[in-house]
Amino acid sequence: MAERAHGAVETGIVTVTVRVSRFHPETDRSSGQQDYLVPAGPGMTVLDALVYIKEHLDGSLAYRSSCRMGICGSCGMFISGLPRLACQTQIRALGPVVTVEPLPNYPVVRDVVPDLEPMVTHHTAVRPFIVRGGEEQEYPTAEYLQTPVELDAYLQFAYCIKCGICLSACPTLATDPAFAGPQALAQVYRYSADSRDDGRRARLGAVDIAHGIWRCHLAGACTEACPKGVDPALAIQLLKRLIVADVLGIGRRRGPAPVAPPDMQAQRRPDIPAAPPATVPGGSGAQKNQP
Amino acid sequence: MRESRWWILSLSAAALMVVLLTLHMGLMHLSGLMKVLGVDPGDVRSFAAVMERGRSLAQMVFYLLFLGAALYHGLYGLRSVLLEVTPPRGQGVLSGLVLAAGLLAFAYGAYVTVRTFTG
């Protein structure tokens, strides 16, 4: 009997009140709220509810989404008091009334769509890519050698999807909009700890400023909020260690990983068919390796 | 100068304060505990003891270091708090004001200490 009752709850439809923040920049001076009654089945996410509202109740609602599977980072919202990805948040777990607001610490474009420009600005300022000296930067010759241990040094920080949720959770950013923010700082560590990179000095200098890394309070809210399990607070602490070691001239610093030498001895096994000819003349190594 | 150098200085000042404050508390305020540990600092708060200590070179250096470390550490923390509510264009003025306040306080504290030393 108890199992049957439990099953009825699992499969039944409950009505959830979704209280959405509404703001139109051309007609509103400040944001308001609007309630929608949404029939919520098992497994329904907040993003599903917003899709339902837009399709059946109010086509003027604006929100941002794309992949619906926690990869693109588009649907970051302030849901029932916490910044989260709408596509990963089960609506029935939040009670009968669910509030949906735009991410804090960002300007609002419309309704629950934040302007992520502050994050993008800081992110691009720290050169979030592998930097190599000389012509290798513009004309890379081959892949760079890296051991699994060297990969582990930065791997978890490479899982950042740039959703901007960590910045909305950051208490420092709430009072200091010029603060670099956990996303950019974590990416500074991610690339500076990458053994293939040769741009550490410039990157560290970009965040070793008055509104840079030293303004972090180590509240850890960024780590709590990250939907991908990245630990930006840890990255910031590790980055502080890197910077102090750099300033004091202590610690070992090896040069960037070497370019992998071409495998001249490799030969195609006879049971593997030959690669098709290159579409760009002289642009493929496949033909060179053909016996 | 890179911000990290100011930050390292602040941490160094904190470490120095731990040593100096331990000595200060032990000698001036925890004489009972020091006696248990086998050190009798005597009546350190009598007028004669204060005047004698004021004319000691070691004491003068001790207090100047203590003054400098405490002022730097405290004012760097204050600047960090104020920086959060100061836009980047105002941070130079803020740093200048905090530096001026620190120099003024250090000059006043050093004057009293040195004046006591020289009599």
Side-chain angles (χ1 to χ4, degrees):
Chain A
M1 185 69 182
E3 284 181 9
R4 196 174 298 166
H6 180 70
V9 171
E10 283 296 308
T11 55
I13 302 292
V14 297
T15 301
V16 173
T17 301
V18 183
R19 187 162 292 156
V20 186
S21 178
R22 302 301 306 269
F23 172 72
H24 194 297
E26 293 174 3
T27 57
D28 300 333
R29 284 188 154 186
S30 61
S31 63
Q33 289 183 326
Q34 193 165 350
D35 287 359
Y36 301 96
L37 297 178
V38 176
M44 187 182 207
T45 65
V46 173
L47 180 58
D48 292 334
L50 294 176
V51 171
Y52 178 88
I53 293 168
K54 191 167 181 73
E55 289 183 351
H56 297 96
L57 305 177
D58 187 348
S60 69
L61 178 65
Y63 58 89
R64 188 189 286 136
S65 72
S66 184
C67 75
R68 305 186 185 198
M69 58 177 79
I71 292 176
C72 72
S74 299
C75 63
M77 297 172 198
F78 198 62
I79 301 167
S80 291
L82 285 175
R84 337 177 197 222
L85 289 181
C87 69
Q88 285 190 327
T89 306
Q90 293 290 309
I91 195 163
R92 286 169 57 148
L94 300 175
V97 179
V98 176
T99 59
V100 182
E101 299 166 88
L103 287 176
N105 298 342
Y106 292 101
V108 179
V109 177
R110 182 173 165 175
D111 294 342
V112 291
V113 180
D115 181 0
L116 298 178
E117 180 65 27
M119 178 190 71
V120 175
T121 302
H122 287 300
H123 180 63
T124 51
V126 300
R127 309 187 81 197
F129 46 84
I130 300 291
V131 174
R132 301 288 293 204
E135 291 195 353
E136 190 65 24
Q137 183 72 41
E138 294 298 323
Y139 307 101
T141 50
E143 67 267 30
Y144 306 122
L145 298 175
Q146 187 169 65
T147 67
V149 172
E150 290 170 334
L151 173 68
D152 278 345
Y154 69 86
L155 182 60
Q156 74 137 314
F157 308 114
Y159 292 140
C160 172
I161 56 173
K162 288 86 181 170
C163 60
I165 282 178
C166 55
L167 275 79
S168 70
C170 177
T172 308
L173 262 169
T175 53
D176 183 6
F179 177 53
Q183 192 276 335
L185 293 172
Q187 292 309 296
V188 170
Y189 182 76
R190 177 257 175 272
Y191 285 98
S192 299
D194 193 322
S195 62
R196 300 167 298 176
D197 178 69
D198 196 20
R200 176 191 287 199
R201 181 58 67 89
R203 210 176 282 117
L204 297 189
V207 294
D208 190 6
I209 54 176
H211 290 272
I213 186 169
W214 308 106
R215 295 289 79 79
C216 171
H217 295 184
L218 195 57
C222 49
T223 298
E224 289 283 327
C226 179
K228 301 303 287 184
V230 179
D231 191 347
L234 172 65
I236 291 172
Q237 292 304 96
L238 294 171
L239 185 59
K240 284 178 180 174
R241 190 167 72 181
L242 267 188
I243 291 177
V244 169
D246 183 54
V247 169
L248 298 180
I250 56 178
R252 287 188 303 164
R253 174 66 183 137
R254 289 177 292 184
V259 175
D263 191 353
M264 306 301 289
Q265 305 300 319
Q267 291 201 341
R268 182 171 58 83
R269 279 167 43 187
D271 56 330
I272 297 177
T279 53
V280 179
S284 170
Q287 279 190 321
K288 296 174 194 169
N289 289 336
Q290 287 180 25
Chain B
M1 193 157 94
R2 287 167 68 170
E3 185 69 17
S4 53
R5 295 182 193 276
W6 301 119
W7 186 81
I8 291 168
L9 265 177
S10 175
L11 248 61
S12 306
L16 182 61
M17 279 167 61
V18 168
V19 176
L20 299 179
L21 195 59
T22 303
L23 284 170
H24 172 81
M25 292 298 290
L27 293 173
M28 301 297 294
H29 304 291
L30 300 170
S31 53
L33 179 64
M34 296 300 284
K35 283 176 186 168
V36 172
L37 296 174
V39 180
D40 185 4
D43 186 11
V44 291
R45 278 176 283 182
S46 68
F47 179 78
V50 171
M51 293 310 291
E52 185 186 339
R53 215 170 35 248
R55 295 196 182 90
S56 158
L57 178 65
Q59 285 288 336
M60 187 187 72
V61 172
F62 178 97
Y63 280 115
L64 286 178
L65 281 175
F66 201 176
L67 178 65
L71 272 175
Y72 182 81
H73 187 77
L75 289 174
Y76 180 79
L78 177 67
R79 172 179 168 270
S80 298
V81 172
L82 294 177
L83 266 179
E84 272 189 32
V85 290
T86 308
R89 66 177 181 279
Q91 69 189 38
V93 176
L94 172 68
S95 297
L97 286 174
V98 172
L99 178 66
L103 288 175
L104 201 65
F106 185 80
Y108 179 64
Y111 169 76
V112 173
T113 308
V114 173
R115 184 71 190 272
T116 308
F117 175 69
T118 56

